[in-house]
Amino acid sequence: MQYIIHFLTAAGYYIYIETSNPRRPNDKAQIVSANIVTKTTKCLTFWYHMYGSNVKALNVYLRFATTVGKPIWTHTGTLSNKWYQSQVDIQGNATYEIMFEGVRGTSYKGDIAVDDITVREGSCAGLKLFGFFVFLFLKKFKIQSNFISRTIL
């Protein structure tokens, strides 16, 4: 199944990690894609927002069956109060799930959000980092902790 996603729209949804009580330092929220079976390189593209005095980390992993390796992408600490886009090449010839993990800092004053997660055929090299149509190969995500979906108004 394929989905077409509009980037940079004012309406839509995003997910974020809820850091308010009863959450504790280093609590993790994970969201995992459906299985992706591929023999070719794919380009993972996503938008993220990390802002506040107590932002800890956002990690992206590949999960093979039940095994999670080292992050294929990570960012720690706060950024400006805006959205950033990132791209990561994922090498082919494997079956895997993509897992996003938000890690809570030392208090509730730290927001981490993710939006417009896409996977497309081929390498990320040469792709422009701005709005365009892409095909989403992540059928649906399984939310595994305290991520919340929120409408952008």
Side-chain angles (χ1 to χ4, degrees):
M1 183 177 278
Q2 297 177 344
Y3 300 90
I4 297 177
I5 301 296
H6 280 283
F7 276 65
L8 302 175
T9 61
Y13 295 92
Y14 62 94
I15 56 171
Y16 71 96
I17 182 172
E18 176 55 64
T19 58
S20 301
N21 195 19
R23 302 295 165 232
R24 301 280 180 239
N26 298 312
D27 274 358
K28 297 175 182 175
Q30 299 169 334
I31 186 168
V32 180
S33 74
N35 273 340
I36 298 172
V37 180
T38 183
K39 295 187 186 292
T40 61
T41 299
K42 303 274 191 222
C43 177
L44 168 65
T45 303
F46 60 95
W47 289 83
Y48 63 101
H49 186 277
M50 299 176 71
Y51 184 68
S53 58
N54 294 107
V55 168
K56 178 92 179 224
L58 176 63
N59 303 306
V60 181
Y61 298 91
L62 295 184
R63 187 165 81 171
F64 303 91
T66 59
T67 304
V68 177
K70 294 180 182 177
I72 60 170
W73 183 94
T74 191
H75 183 81
T76 57
T78 192
L79 294 166
S80 298
N81 189 16
K82 66 180 189 175
W83 288 89
Y84 295 85
Q85 187 183 39
S86 189
Q87 296 177 325
V88 181
D89 277 335
I90 301 173
Q91 299 307 311
N93 205 21
T95 298
Y96 54 85
E97 297 166 324
I98 298 171
M99 182 173 76
F100 284 80
E101 175 184 76
V103 184
R104 184 188 189 270
T106 56
S107 88
Y108 68 92
K109 296 179 180 179
D111 295 324
I112 300 173
V114 179
D115 195 11
D116 288 340
I117 302 166
T118 66
V119 175
R120 67 174 295 279
E121 292 290 336
S123 172
C124 299
L127 287 180
K128 296 179 182 177
L129 293 178
F130 60 86
F132 56 94
F133 287 107
V134 294
F135 291 99
L136 179 63
F137 292 93
L138 307 178
K139 293 180 184 174
K140 57 184 173 181
F141 278 84
K142 298 172 275 188
I143 296 175
Q144 297 195 332
S145 188
N146 57 332
F147 265 112
I148 308 252
S149 177
R150 202 31 91 81
T151 301
I152 298 173
L153 300 176

